[in-house]
């Protein structure tokens, strides 16, 4: 509960106090703006909605009517009263003010300032466990705090690297949930306050008693089980695929120089194996990818292949078969044909050359791209 200065007689009526939650009939944002800028309302009753991250500078009194177990969360809640405000601005919403805002007051009605708080710790407590293993563990029933918090931390880190297309793919596989929602649900499942609330619901613990340890364990298990329902094999594979694509290994202070580039081991057999894998992959997906359908079934339409179509093939290969990077496959064909000319300048250029067919590889790559790669960028 959050309050400004004492209410004067002129504040009598119902306008001075309002409940502010996401379920309020009135727009919560409008109510919050009114609390921030107007004389009325004077008291806002909330649960968690504006407990953190909200700037209400005239606020001078915090009244706690429930306990908070997290030390970090309690610190953020107290921070709502630390905003400073000059005399003129404070007087606009608190006419009885005689000076600038100099302090704020905590009214502790429940003992929140004296109760034991849990210390904050790093989210990722299992940094050496792969993301895929963490997600599979949670999906299979792991409910311990270290596994859940590590998974949430890794997904939160991954979320910062994603583009709109990645986010949309994840949302599709998760049944409509954003990745931020998935992370939020995992963290909420191991939040001490939520666990205590759930434990009290399970064994109907009286207000003056603490839930039993085994009840807390069951409460956390139930909360995590609800949060992990979103994870499926397909979603985990997608997350791991995106993670591999974004991952970059950095070795500081070391600059590599390419001395020689060639096939390792049995060059002939390795090149043949890669070519066979590539052709088998194209054959398997010829009906699923539009550009491949055109090349296989309607060769006379090859000039109508767009940039977006070629890009779709590239994205599909990166997701399904990262080792079949077009540049590597092109070099395999070139090795088998004993081609000594120039290499493609990029993966996309190599893919265009491959689209022209193996027979085109004996030509200089720029000529191949010019001949077969007159791709319309319409819709790209």
């Amino acid at each position: 509960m959050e309050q400004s200065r004492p209410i004067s007689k002129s504040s009598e009526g119902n306008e001075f106090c309002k409940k502010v939650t996401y379920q309020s009939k009135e727009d919560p944002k409008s109510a919050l703006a009114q609390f921030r800028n107007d004389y009325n309302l004077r008291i806002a009753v909330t649960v968690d909605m504006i407990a953190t991250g909200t700037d209400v500078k005239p606020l001078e009194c915090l009244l706690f009517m429930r306990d908070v177990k997290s030390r970090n969360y309690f610190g953020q809640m107290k921070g709502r009263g630390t905003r400073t405000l000059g005399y003129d601005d404070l007087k606009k919403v608190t006419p009885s003010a005689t000076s600038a805002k100099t302090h704020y007051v905590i009214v502790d009605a429940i003992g929140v300032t004296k109760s034991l708080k849990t210390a904050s710790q790093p989210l990722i407590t299992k940094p050496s466990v792969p993301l895929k293993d963490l997600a599979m563990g949670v999906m299979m029933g792991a409910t311990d705090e270290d596994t859940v918090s590590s998974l949430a931390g890794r997904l939160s880190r991954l979320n910062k690297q994603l583009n709109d297309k990645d986010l949309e793919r994840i949302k599709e596989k998760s049944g409509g949930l954003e990745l931020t929602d998935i992370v939020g649900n995992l963290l909420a499942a191991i939040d001490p306050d939520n666990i205590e609330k759930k434990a009290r619901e399970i064994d109907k613990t009286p207000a003056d008693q603490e839930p039993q340890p085994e009840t807390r364990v069951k409460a956390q298990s139930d909360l995590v089980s609800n949060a992990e329902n979103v994870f499926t094999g397909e979603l985990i594979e997608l997350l791991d695929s995106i993670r591999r694509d974004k991952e970059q290994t950095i070795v500081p202070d070391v600059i590599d120089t390419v001395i020689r580039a060639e096939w390792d081991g049995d060059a002939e057999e390795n090149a043949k194996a890669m070519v066979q894998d590539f052709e088998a992959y194209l054959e398997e997906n010829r009906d699923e990818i539009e550009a491949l359908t055109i090349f296989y079934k309607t060769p006379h339409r090859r000039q109508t292949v767009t940039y977006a179509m070629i890009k779709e093939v590239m994205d599909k290969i990166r997701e399904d078969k990262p080792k079949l990077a077009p540049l590597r496959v092109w070099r395999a064909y070139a090795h088998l044909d004993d081609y000594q000319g120039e290499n493609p300048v990029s993966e996309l250029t190599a893919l265009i050359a491959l689209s022209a067919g193996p027979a085109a590889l004996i030509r200089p790559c720029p000529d191949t791209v010019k001949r077969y790669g007159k791709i319309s960028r319409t819709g790209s």
Side-chain angles (χ1 to χ4, degrees):
M1 187 173 186
E2 306 179 0
Q3 180 179 349
S4 187
R5 285 183 180 273
I7 306 162
S8 65
K9 293 182 179 180
S10 61
S11 299
E12 294 177 356
N14 296 325
E15 298 299 322
F16 70 92
C17 185
K18 188 171 294 185
K19 179 180 179 182
V20 184
T21 69
Y22 287 108
Q23 282 78 35
S24 299
K25 294 182 180 180
E26 182 181 354
D27 179 19
K29 293 183 179 179
S30 299
L32 182 58
Q34 184 183 359
F35 183 50
R36 181 186 293 116
N37 302 313
D38 298 343
Y39 176 75
N40 280 320
L41 63 116
R42 308 293 292 161
I43 299 176
V45 182
T46 75
V47 180
D48 287 315
M49 179 181 168
I50 59 176
T52 64
T54 304
D55 187 13
V56 182
K57 293 180 179 180
L59 191 147
E60 296 179 81
C61 180
L62 296 174
L63 171 57
F64 285 90
M65 299 186 69
R66 69 177 179 88
D67 201 0
V68 180
K69 296 297 184 181
S70 169
R71 182 181 302 170
N72 183 55
Y73 190 41
F74 182 52
Q76 293 183 45
M77 295 175 78
K78 291 191 295 183
R80 299 316 96 203
T82 60
R83 273 50 174 178
T84 60
L85 192 64
Y87 171 67
D88 291 338
D89 290 329
L90 180 60
K91 195 170 180 62
K92 291 177 182 177
V93 292
T94 305
S96 60
T98 58
S99 69
K101 179 180 174 181
T102 58
H103 64 283
Y104 76 102
V105 175
I106 292 178
V107 178
D108 185 1
I110 198 67
V112 66
T113 57
K114 297 180 180 180
S115 65
L116 182 64
K117 303 287 187 293
T118 56
S120 299
Q121 60 179 2
L123 278 180
I124 305 176
T125 56
K126 293 185 174 182
S128 60
V129 180
L131 170 63
K132 185 175 182 179
D133 290 350
L134 290 171
M136 289 295 294
V138 170
M139 186 182 74
M140 298 301 292
T143 60
D144 61 285
E145 183 175 347
D146 285 344
T147 298
V148 176
S149 66
S150 295
L151 176 58
R154 297 284 285 280
L155 292 178
S156 178
R157 179 189 298 172
L158 178 64
N159 184 66
K160 298 176 182 178
Q161 301 174 278
L162 304 183
N163 54 37
D164 292 341
K165 183 177 179 180
D166 294 329
L167 293 171
E168 191 60 35
R169 291 164 63 199
I170 292 173
K171 186 175 180 180
E172 179 181 345
K173 293 294 184 183
S174 67
L177 278 180
E178 303 279 358
L179 186 55
T180 51
D181 295 330
I182 297 175
V183 172
N185 292 340
L186 290 172
L187 293 177
I190 56 175
D191 180 83
D193 292 329
N194 292 337
I195 293 173
E196 168 138 343
K197 181 180 178 181
K198 182 68 175 179
R200 290 183 178 278
E201 292 175 356
I202 291 175
D203 62 4
K204 301 196 172 24
T205 307
D208 59 344
Q209 297 180 18
E210 291 292 321
Q212 295 298 316
E214 57 270 19
T215 308
R216 291 180 184 273
V217 172
K218 185 179 186 329
Q220 178 171 321
S221 178
D222 291 348
L223 290 171
V224 174
S225 296
N226 290 333
E228 62 86 12
N229 286 335
V230 68
F231 290 101
T232 61
E234 288 186 358
L235 176 60
I236 293 174
E237 287 295 336
L238 175 60
L239 291 170
D240 193 52
S241 172
I242 294 175
R243 190 270 310 164
R244 290 197 306 268
D245 187 47
K246 306 295 182 183
E247 192 173 70
Q248 181 180 15
T249 302
I250 299 176
V251 181
D253 304 324
V254 177
I255 300 178
D256 294 331
T257 302
V258 177
I259 300 175
R260 184 176 68 254
E262 60 185 23
W263 289 90
D264 186 25
D266 191 336
E268 193 79 13
E269 291 302 318
N270 289 340
K272 286 181 179 179
M274 178 164 287
V275 166
Q276 290 172 359
D277 287 347
F278 181 71
E279 292 178 352
Y281 176 78
L282 296 184
E283 179 68 25
E284 291 172 4
N285 291 273
R286 61 188 295 177
D287 295 327
E288 298 181 16
I289 304 176
E290 186 177 3
L292 297 184
T293 302
I294 292 175
F295 270 97
Y296 274 95
K297 296 184 177 180
T298 53
H300 64 280
R301 289 185 53 210
R302 288 181 178 178
Q303 294 295 334
T304 67
V305 175
T306 67
Y307 175 82
M309 293 178 185
I310 293 294
K311 192 69 167 59
E312 180 190 4
V313 178
M314 174 76 77
D315 292 341
K316 185 72 174 173
I317 291 174
R318 283 177 175 171
E319 179 180 343
D320 296 343
K321 297 283 186 179
K323 70 175 184 178
L324 296 181
L327 197 53
R328 293 184 65 196
V329 176
W330 189 93
R331 286 170 179 161
Y333 276 113
H335 176 80
L336 295 176
D337 290 343
D338 196 25
Y339 173 66
Q340 302 298 324
E342 298 179 6
N343 290 332
V345 297
S346 68
E347 295 284 357
L348 191 60
T349 306
L351 184 57
I352 295 172
L354 291 171
S355 301
L361 290 171
I362 58 174
R363 300 185 183 88
C365 188
D367 292 347
T368 301
V369 174
K370 288 178 182 178
R371 179 174 179 181
Y372 293 95
K374 296 176 181 177
I375 299 173
S376 168
R377 299 184 72 92
T378 303
S380 65

